[in-house]
Amino acid sequence: MQQRKRPLSPHLQVYKLPLTGMVSIMHRMMGVLLTAGLVLFVISLAIIQCGASSFESMQTLIQQPLIGIALWLMIYALFFHLCHGVRHLIWDAGEGYEKALMNYYILLEMFAAIALTFLSFLFVQVGS
């Protein structure tokens, strides 16, 4: 049998994703991260309700520096996911489809997510 020479699709190493494509992939990754974080949160609530010793163990675990960093990354993921969702609402309204405006909104949503995370951090520091 003779093999036909068919064109190949461009590989990921050749094709350069636009900024909107990269942020879309990041948005999906953040959604998966938030889902995993929610599962861990529910598990931690189940552990805490087992009694005082479980509560103290969970409190000790949460005070570890790496866990604190992970919690703040989860908060950033939440705000990023929220800001990106707002951008999708703007698109649903039929606005913001110009390329320059799309890139502007991406920078705006990333800055807003960082700012909201920072404000949350300040709010927690003032409260403690």
Side-chain angles (χ1 to χ4, degrees):
M1 269 195 138
Q2 190 177 20
Q3 296 235 343
R4 296 187 312 184
K5 294 192 179 203
R6 299 173 64 185
L8 296 175
S9 296
H11 298 287
L12 288 177
Q13 295 88 358
V14 175
Y15 182 71
K16 185 176 186 289
L17 278 174
L19 188 56
T20 53
M22 288 188 287
V23 171
S24 178
I25 291 169
M26 212 163 90
H27 180 251
R28 290 181 171 109
M29 289 170 48
M30 296 291 178
V32 169
L33 180 66
L34 288 171
T35 303
L38 184 59
V39 168
L40 290 174
F41 177 70
V42 170
I43 289 170
S44 68
L45 289 179
I47 291 171
I48 286 172
Q49 66 126 10
C50 290
S53 64
S54 299
F55 178 78
E56 290 170 7
S57 298
M58 189 57 69
Q59 197 172 23
T60 302
L61 177 67
I62 288 175
Q63 291 174 353
Q64 298 299 318
L66 285 177
I67 300 297
I69 291 170
L71 288 173
W72 283 108
L73 287 174
M74 291 293 297
I75 291 170
Y76 171 76
L78 176 68
F79 284 131
F80 176 80
H81 204 75
L82 172 75
C83 293
H84 193 79
V86 169
R87 185 163 66 106
H88 274 277
L89 288 174
I90 293 169
W91 283 354
D92 290 344
E95 299 293 326
Y97 285 110
E98 299 82 27
K99 185 175 182 177
L101 199 53
M102 284 182 172
N103 291 338
Y104 171 75
Y105 281 147
I106 288 171
L107 294 175
L108 185 64
E109 77 185 49
M110 288 187 171
F111 174 75
I114 291 169
L116 287 168
T117 304
F118 183 70
L119 287 173
S120 298
F121 181 76
L122 290 178
F123 183 74
V124 168
Q125 295 303 315
V126 168
S128 59

